[in-house]
Amino acid sequence: MTISIGNDHAGPDYKMAIVAYLETKGHTIINHGTDTFESVDYPDFGHPVAYDVESKKADLGIVICGSGNGIAMTVNKHQDIRAALCWTKEIAELARQHNDANIISIPARFTSIPQAIAMVETFIETPFEGGRHANRVKKMACK
């Protein structure tokens, strides 16, 4: 699976740990995140992830900022993106099962790195259930 990842200055250590984990599982990573803790603007790192997922260059995306909110709002501006702000693996699982989320947003200042890795693992391993949820997902986009 190809996964695109982007982060601001709140998440370089999270990104590095998540990328290391994903590479041990054989995933291909497209890295759009910063590697420093110097202040940057999260949209500059979120939009490229959304473009990768929209264009099918990546199967799924991961975005990380301090609260997870700003970068999630940014990527959710893209028509076919369904980013879910997650802070537990149970929420990550439901985001995939019920909402067909294609990007997970991680709040670096409110989760630990082990929690983030567990959420990512759950997110990429959980399939969309379809069924009654498919009709709801179809109604999300403003086309």
Side-chain angles (χ1 to χ4, degrees):
M1 181 179 298
T2 299
I3 300 169
S4 184
I5 189 166
N7 61 283
D8 72 0
H9 53 276
D13 48 349
Y14 282 70
K15 179 191 64 178
M16 287 185 255
I18 291 167
V19 167
Y21 165 76
L22 292 171
E23 288 177 340
T24 67
K25 299 294 182 182
H27 298 290
T28 301
I29 308 303
I30 304 169
N31 179 4
H32 293 292
T34 185
D35 292 329
T36 74
F37 296 97
E38 188 174 321
S39 183
V40 296
D41 298 331
Y42 54 78
D44 296 338
F45 302 94
H47 285 302
V49 173
Y51 290 131
D52 286 349
V53 175
E54 277 182 314
S55 69
K56 308 285 189 234
K57 184 176 177 185
D59 300 297
L60 294 172
I62 301 167
V63 292
I64 307 162
C65 75
S67 70
N69 280 311
I71 204 161
M73 290 176 186
T74 298
V75 299
N76 274 325
K77 298 293 183 192
H78 293 256
Q79 191 64 37
D80 294 319
I81 296 302
R82 292 173 305 282
L85 172 59
C86 299
W87 56 94
T88 69
K89 65 182 194 174
E90 293 80 11
I91 292 171
E93 180 177 38
L94 288 172
R96 288 286 303 134
Q97 282 179 343
H98 293 188
N99 310 118
D100 198 18
N102 50 17
I103 296 180
I104 183 172
S105 182
I106 298 171
R109 294 190 178 123
F110 298 94
T111 58
S112 68
I113 289 174
Q115 279 178 295
I117 291 170
M119 289 187 299
V120 167
E121 178 181 37
T122 299
F123 189 79
I124 64 176
E125 291 180 358
T126 302
F128 177 49
E129 282 184 358
R132 70 184 192 275
H133 304 294
N135 191 46
R136 297 167 187 160
V137 170
K138 286 179 192 170
K139 291 180 177 183
M140 287 182 186
C142 296
K143 293 188 178 187

